[in-house]
Amino acid sequence: PTDKVGVVGICGLGHLAVKFAHAWGCEVTAFTSSPSKREEALLLGAHKTVSSVDVKELKAIAGTLDFLLVTVGASLEWDALLGTLAPKGRMHMVGVVTEAMKLRTGSLLSWQRSISASPTPSPVTLMKMMDFCARHGIAPQVEHFPMSRVNDAVAHLRSGNARYRVVLDADFA
């Protein structure tokens, strides 16, 4: 609860990560490339927001975060993001970045920073997370589409307008 946590990507996973970190009592910084999501991130529980693509904004918070959770698969300014970490800080990947991550190792070595990643958690861990959600009233924000409009739902998702999960409801006769 004393950590300063950053969440990169206010999306399907990211919006929940902000809620989790806030419920744990962490100071939460939300990183987004979308100006329209800044106010939403604050409503989700972030204490402040930073552009994930503006190197000047990233440099302004250099060395301040203990943990940085990357929930997106986009190629980003990895050196600048690593620079937001305090000494011994960790950047953890849960988004799948399909391109090579270009970064220098100097800031990893000199500040003893690290990078880690993890897959979907075990069923036991998922149950603990669900219990935590129930205790703290954490639920995803979803938009519903009938199955007959699946193409509209996919287009909505691809356009980046989904807030934050899309659910298809069966409407078969």
Side-chain angles (χ1 to χ4, degrees), residues 7-22 28 30 37 40-41 43-46 69 71 138-142 162-166:
V7 177
V8 181
I10 309 308
C11 52
L13 286 175
H15 88 286
L16 288 168
V18 168
K19 289 181 176 190
F20 267 82
H22 179 83
V28 184
K37 289 187 179 178
E40 293 173 32
L43 294 172
L44 292 169
L69 182 68
T71 67
I138 297 172
Q141 285 185 224
V142 298
R163 296 296 192 266
Y164 285 94
R165 290 285 189 185
V166 172

Side-chain angles (χ1 to χ4, degrees), residues 15 20 25 28 67 71 75-76 83-85 108 110 139-140 159 163 167:
H15 88 286
F20 267 82
V28 184
F67 185 76
T71 67
S75 235
L76 298 170
T84 65
L85 293 172
L108 290 170
S110 60
S159 71
R163 296 296 192 266
V167 175

Side-chain angles (χ1 to χ4, degrees), residues 9-12 15 30-44 46 49 72 160-164:
I10 309 308
C11 52
H15 88 286
F31 291 73
T32 181
S33 62
S34 173
S36 69
K37 289 187 179 178
R38 285 184 175 231
E39 188 64 33
E40 293 173 32
L42 297 172
L43 294 172
L44 292 169
T49 63
V72 296
N161 292 323
R163 296 296 192 266
Y164 285 94

Side-chain angles (χ1 to χ4, degrees), residues 12-108:
L13 286 175
H15 88 286
L16 288 168
V18 168
K19 289 181 176 190
F20 267 82
H22 179 83
W24 278 319
C26 300
E27 181 181 310
V28 184
T29 301
F31 291 73
T32 181
S33 62
S34 173
S36 69
K37 289 187 179 178
R38 285 184 175 231
E39 188 64 33
E40 293 173 32
L42 297 172
L43 294 172
L44 292 169
H47 296 88
K48 59 185 166 187
T49 63
V50 174
S51 170
S52 58
V53 294
D54 184 330
V55 176
K56 287 181 185 177
E57 283 194 45
L58 294 171
K59 284 184 181 179
I61 64 162
T64 63
L65 300 175
D66 301 299
F67 185 76
L68 185 63
L69 182 68
V70 180
T71 67
V72 296
S75 235
L76 298 170
E77 295 291 335
W78 299 113
D79 283 328
L81 283 168
L82 279 173
T84 65
L85 293 172
K88 297 188 179 180
R90 179 166 53 115
M91 180 168 72
H92 188 77
M93 310 292 295
V94 293
V96 178
V97 179
T98 57
E99 297 179 17
M101 292 176 61
K102 183 178 178 186
L103 56 92
R104 295 180 185 93
T105 59
S107 71
L108 290 170

Side-chain angles (χ1 to χ4, degrees), residues 103-118:
L103 56 92
R104 295 180 185 93
T105 59
S107 71
L108 290 170
L109 293 168
S110 60
W111 294 97
Q112 295 182 333
R113 295 170 174 147
S114 62
I115 300 173
S116 58
S118 62

